[in-house]
Amino acid sequence: MDINSRIKYINGLYEQFLDIQEEGLEYVYRGDFSVNTIGKIMSLAETNLNQAEDTLKIKSKIYYIMGEGLQNIARHHIGEVEVKPVNNSIFSIYKKKYKYFISTGNLIENNNIESLTEKLEKINGMGKVELRKYARQIRMTGEFSEKGGAGLGLIEMAKRSGNKLTYDFNKIDDKYAYFYLNTEIPTIKPESIKESNFIYSLDNIKDIHEELISKNILLFFKGALNQEILLDLLSIVEAQMDISIISIRMYNIMVEMLQNIVKHADNRAGYLKWKPGIFFISEEPNEVILTSGNYIQNSNVEELKEKIDSVNNANETELSKKYHKVLMNFKSESPLKTGLGIIDIRRKSANKIEYNFQPIDEKISFFIIQVGIKKNKKV
Amino acid sequence: MKPLIIEETSSTPNIFLDIENNNFELSNRSLPEDAIGFYEPVMKWLEEYVKKPRKETEFNFKLEYFNTASSRQIIQLIIILSKIKKPNNLKINWYYREVDEDMESTGIEYSELIGVKFNFICIP
């Protein structure tokens, strides 16, 4: 994917972003789903969830269903080495019209499709009382499948959500398929608001997933960002990082990009505790590419543009000079004004910084910044 | 002076400043949301210390990672340290992981900028 198509892609993302803004929650994650990482993804999602204004009862229900979904991804991957399926999974929480939608997508073997379909159909054919009975029965008889689950996770998801599970399979080849699963959880809606018949289509997650795979996006995050969430994200990335100078640079640049959002992005809807943001890592043959997107006040656009341009146009000596000047200028206390992060990103990546400002209205633009880290850079 | 000890968190470094045992160390990682606020007590402590330093001061920078906001604070910290003049001795040890050439070159850069000699120690 070249730079232009990446910019185009992320521009498309910001439009979906606007769509969910009114109710303020979407969290999509693609990356490692090993057992070690799951705890971190949970805590990341939990921090995201804490930003939402729902009752504790609903949140704990969501947290539970989320855990089951994630465990399904991790558990059913063990032992499949051939296609690195762990990295190909996707997890998302989406909130719209007073409903939560938790979706997962993961790789399974084709020969499991039939039994999985049977299980799901059986569960979907049951009412609340029957589900409870069924769960008890399975627990008692210890009827476990070889993968360690008896569909108990699925039963609990259906039981707790009070809704049918929607699912789909997408065959990749004659051995593997993607299994998509979606659970809908209603929340308490103000009486003044009409019941919505909004239905989350599984196509949403299928489309996002396909995009991420085709664009070789290794880690994808879209959701609420604050310092706490940033640290969660960092520990997820760290868990799957090798110890090399490329990884160290990636980590460095990632912190600068995300802290820029946490500190300086516009929060648009006026939330105090977090900023909406997008961040992803993609890989090309010679580069690792980091991209982030956030809202910015139009009044800040020109200054930022000039700052990036001047950093981009500077040669190595000029860059060092700039860096030293800002580093040693202790009078300017506001890091926003210094642009030290941008200079540092440029120096560490040894690449020009790509950016784009997409105007949204007279007050706000969507700012995209992208940096490629050369895999073979020699200092 | 009482030692200044701040335990590390996931975003702030471990700080150990103990005159009695000549143990001065800044380690782990530094990416606080508010770098200025975090380093303020450290600066104050050091400002006080350099007025009446030990004969030998050995300061260890064992940072694995720091963000740009912290870098401005760290530089200021070294500038304060550099006020230690003869006949008192100052030794700054700058640790870096073998794989992290950027951390090494950052140290070289800071040392040249402030005009203080660093002792570079590679951690294999």
Side-chain angles (χ1 to χ4, degrees):
Chain A
M1 179 168 52
D2 64 16
I3 278 151
N4 286 334
S5 60
R6 269 197 301 268
I7 297 263
K8 216 165 143 191
Y9 169 58
I10 200 166
N11 264 332
L13 283 177
Y14 103 87
E15 277 169 21
Q16 303 167 23
F17 221 43
L18 286 177
D19 189 42
I20 52 123
Q21 195 68 126
E22 43 183 307
E23 286 174 53
L25 190 94
E26 188 186 23
Y27 164 49
V28 180
Y29 171 82
R30 182 192 183 211
D32 180 45
F33 280 94
S34 58
V35 177
N36 290 338
T37 321
I38 281 197
K40 288 170 183 145
I41 302 169
M42 289 286 280
S43 95
L44 181 60
E46 195 184 10
T47 319
N48 260 264
L49 206 57
N50 283 338
Q51 320 294 333
E53 292 168 358
D54 285 300
T55 62
L56 212 59
K57 196 181 162 193
I58 288 168
K59 280 183 185 172
S60 63
K61 196 182 263 186
I62 290 159
Y63 196 65
Y64 183 90
I65 293 175
M66 197 165 74
E68 287 298 330
L70 285 168
Q71 269 164 28
N72 263 336
I73 296 179
R75 196 165 46 217
H76 290 273
H77 272 142
I78 294 162
E80 292 171 17
V81 240
E82 288 159 59
V83 270
K84 267 194 153 186
V86 172
N87 284 329
N88 276 331
S89 301
I90 189 164
F91 169 77
S92 121
I93 307 177
Y94 185 80
K95 188 188 179 191
K96 200 179 163 103
K97 307 280 181 208
Y98 298 93
K99 287 171 187 166
Y100 276 95
F101 304 91
I102 296 175
S103 314
T104 51
N106 61 286
L107 209 66
I108 61 162
E109 281 173 43
N110 285 341
N111 56 25
N112 287 330
I113 292 180
E114 210 184 303
S115 64
L116 200 51
T117 308
E118 265 171 38
K119 258 182 214 165
L120 283 158
E121 282 308 314
K122 190 169 178 183
I123 292 167
N124 278 345
M126 289 179 177
K128 210 174 171 177
V129 183
E130 284 170 288
L131 277 172
R132 203 175 295 147
K133 256 191 210 158
Y134 187 42
R136 202 179 306 140
Q137 181 202 329
I138 286 186
R139 273 201 196 93
M140 299 288 278
T141 55
E143 185 190 302
F144 286 103
S145 78
E146 54 205 72
K147 284 278 158 67
L152 205 54
L154 296 173
I155 298 169
E156 287 295 336
M157 284 162 94
K159 206 176 90 189
R160 294 193 190 218
S161 70
N163 272 311
K164 306 289 171 217
L165 304 171
T166 45
Y167 63 93
D168 202 359
F169 300 95
N170 208 353
K171 276 195 185 173
I172 307 167
D173 54 32
D174 51 2
K175 209 170 168 205
Y176 294 105
Y178 283 117
F179 165 51
Y180 294 99
L181 180 69
N182 175 57
T183 315
E184 178 185 321
I185 306 132
T187 65
I188 301 152
K189 137 182 100 54
E191 271 174 37
S192 56
I193 299 210
K194 257 198 264 161
E195 181 71 43
S196 147
N197 51 9
F198 174 79
I199 293 168
Y200 180 86
S201 162
L202 263 182
D203 288 341
N204 289 351
I205 190 139
K206 281 160 75 177
D207 289 349
I208 296 173
H209 196 200
E210 206 181 297
E211 286 273 314
L212 299 183
I213 291 170
S214 73
K215 292 186 167 54
N216 212 14
I217 294 174
L218 308 176
L219 181 128
F220 182 87
F221 172 81
K222 180 177 168 189
L225 262 178
N226 58 21
Q227 170 84 358
E228 210 180 322
I229 292 166
L230 181 152
L231 294 173
D232 288 338
L233 261 177
L234 280 175
S235 70
I236 288 173
V237 169
E238 227 184 334
Q240 43 191 307
M241 224 165 72
D242 57 338
I243 302 171
S244 68
I245 188 67
I246 303 303
S247 301
I248 292 170
R249 285 185 184 132
M250 197 175 89
Y251 184 94
N252 275 262
I253 293 173
M254 183 175 166
V255 175
E256 295 303 325
M257 281 172 118
L258 294 177
Q259 273 189 332
N260 264 334
I261 299 182
V262 172
K263 287 182 184 166
H264 310 308
D266 190 83
N267 54 13
R268 189 162 165 87
Y271 306 105
L272 293 173
K273 290 182 184 147
W274 58 276
K275 311 281 179 66
I278 296 176
F279 174 78
F280 62 87
I281 303 173
S282 48
E283 195 171 6
E284 304 274 310
N286 305 316
E287 282 181 337
V288 177
I289 293 149
L290 308 186
T291 311
S292 71
N294 61 272
Y295 293 113
I296 177 171
Q297 299 258 354
N298 288 344
S299 54
N300 292 328
V301 168
E302 268 317 303
E303 197 189 337
L304 185 56
K305 223 183 225 174
E306 276 170 25
K307 216 167 259 171
I308 302 177
D309 284 342
S310 90
V311 167
N312 272 346
N313 295 330
N315 61 34
E316 224 176 303
T317 326
E318 289 165 340
L319 262 182
S320 300
K321 266 193 195 153
K322 252 182 201 293
Y323 178 72
H324 297 159
K325 199 178 144 200
V326 181
L327 192 64
M328 303 289 278
N329 177 14
F330 307 125
K331 293 257 159 52
S332 139
E333 293 293 340
S334 158
L336 174 65
K337 299 274 180 258
T338 68
L340 193 60
I342 290 168
I343 304 174
D344 191 59
I345 289 173
R346 167 91 168 94
R347 290 180 89 203
K348 289 233 163 75
S349 67
N351 243 330
K352 294 213 171 182
I353 298 166
E354 302 287 337
Y355 65 89
N356 190 51
F357 293 94
Q358 183 73 36
I360 293 169
D361 57 32
E362 64 275 16
K363 277 190 181 152
I364 298 276
S365 291
F366 195 72
F367 168 54
I368 297 161
I369 178 167
Q370 184 178 290
V371 192
I373 306 164
K374 291 210 173 86
K375 287 183 186 170
N376 57 357
K377 181 209 170 191
K378 287 269 172 283
V379 176
Chain B
M1 267 175 92
K2 269 195 199 160
L4 179 71
I5 297 161
I6 303 172
E7 275 182 48
E8 66 186 48
T9 68
S10 54
S11 64
T12 55
N14 187 45
I15 292 174
F16 204 94
L17 303 173
D18 178 8
I19 305 174
E20 205 175 311
N21 299 304
N22 192 16
N23 194 349
F24 304 90
E25 190 172 295
L26 194 61
S27 60
N28 208 35
R29 55 184 72 184
S30 179
L31 56 144
E33 209 173 355
D34 173 20
I36 297 173
F38 176 79
Y39 282 98
E40 204 188 340
V42 186
M43 305 264 196
K44 279 202 177 130
W45 194 97
L46 280 175
E47 285 282 10
E48 209 46 50
Y49 171 71
V50 296
K51 286 180 193 162
K52 218 184 137 202
R54 286 174 60 105
K55 208 167 164 13
E56 306 281 337
T57 303
E58 187 164 351
F59 204 108
N60 295 309
F61 287 92
K62 284 189 185 170
L63 288 158
E64 207 173 276
Y65 167 76
F66 53 89
N67 64 353
T68 52
S70 301
S71 69
R72 299 174 82 230
Q73 305 306 310
I74 291 165
I75 272 262
Q76 287 189 65
L77 219 131
I78 302 169
I79 292 174
I80 297 173
L81 278 173
S82 69
K83 290 178 186 161
I84 298 177
K85 293 269 154 44
K86 299 257 175 213
N88 296 312
N89 271 323
L90 170 68
K91 187 175 177 190
I92 292 177
N93 295 323
W94 188 267
Y95 288 80
Y96 63 94
R97 287 178 290 170
E98 193 176 10
V99 63
D100 193 354
E101 56 196 69
D102 290 358
M103 186 57 87
E104 186 191 9
S105 57
T106 302
I108 296 172
E109 210 170 1
Y110 287 7
S111 152
E112 285 172 3
L113 263 174
I114 309 166
V116 180
K117 199 178 160 268
F118 285 12
N119 182 31
F120 290 93
I121 301 169
C122 175
I123 308 164

